[in-house]
Amino acid sequence: AWGALEDAYQAGKLRAIGVSNFEEPDLDNILESCTVKPMVNQILAHISNTPKELIKYTQDKGILVEAFSPIAHGELLKNQEVAEIAEKYGVSIPQLSIRYTLQLGLLPLPKTANPAHMKENAEVDFVISEEDMEVLKNMEQI
């Protein structure tokens, strides 16, 4: 399957190719035999689920990490500790969650069909303090 993606990429039919949910051994396997390195590894990453080692490993290989479900399938909306941190910055929980992934150097992939939510999700021009980032990175998994 990867060979077919490489062929399509080299033929100019695709602008980028990547993988999804690849762990370190999976990445090693593809990197050992590929002619085109994956440009992205899409993984589940959000506040309370930050696979730090996989993120670092992937980034060290020069592969972009795309964080799908940065709002934890909506579960973060129910978390009081996250709500308090969002309130501290005067932002919504989705905005905090998206900003969190951006500060980790990840590309967030939030999902919404609501135009108002799309607009709000793009308004993340604030910085989460290092102290709060550490709290969010080490939050108990939901």
Side-chain angles (χ1 to χ4, degrees):
W2 186 253
L5 286 172
E6 287 180 324
D7 291 345
Y9 176 78
Q10 290 169 338
K13 295 178 182 179
L14 303 172
R15 293 191 311 178
I17 55 177
V19 295
S20 183
N21 296 313
F22 270 44
E23 298 288 336
E24 289 181 31
D26 305 316
L27 287 171
D28 287 341
N29 185 42
I30 205 162
L31 290 170
E32 288 171 6
S33 61
C34 69
T35 58
V36 179
K37 182 172 71 172
M39 290 138 196
V40 64
N41 185 15
Q42 185 183 81
I43 63 172
L44 179 64
H46 54 73
I47 296 167
S48 88
N49 183 58
T50 307
K52 298 174 198 120
E53 295 83 20
L54 178 58
I55 290 169
K56 182 178 179 346
Y57 186 82
T58 303
Q59 291 173 332
D60 286 349
K61 295 293 183 184
I63 300 170
L64 175 68
V65 178
E66 185 174 55
F68 74 84
S69 194
I71 306 161
H73 307 292
E75 289 299 312
L76 287 175
L77 299 172
K78 303 171 190 173
N79 186 297
Q80 186 58 41
E81 190 175 6
V82 173
E84 289 170 7
I85 294 173
E87 186 176 318
K88 174 180 174 179
Y89 292 94
V91 298
S92 68
I93 291 173
Q95 287 171 312
L96 180 75
S97 302
I98 291 165
R99 183 66 206 176
Y100 171 76
T101 58
L102 287 169
Q103 282 186 223
L104 291 175
L106 313 182
L107 176 64
L109 184 60
K111 182 179 175 184
T112 183
N114 182 318
H117 290 167
M118 286 179 205
K119 183 178 182 313
E120 180 182 278
N121 288 349
E123 296 170 354
V124 291
D125 190 22
F126 64 98
V127 176
I128 302 169
S129 72
E130 282 302 314
E131 180 181 308
D132 288 336
M133 283 295 290
E134 285 306 310
V135 169
L136 296 170
K137 283 180 196 174
N138 295 297
M139 189 166 282
E140 184 177 333
Q141 190 166 3
I142 57 172

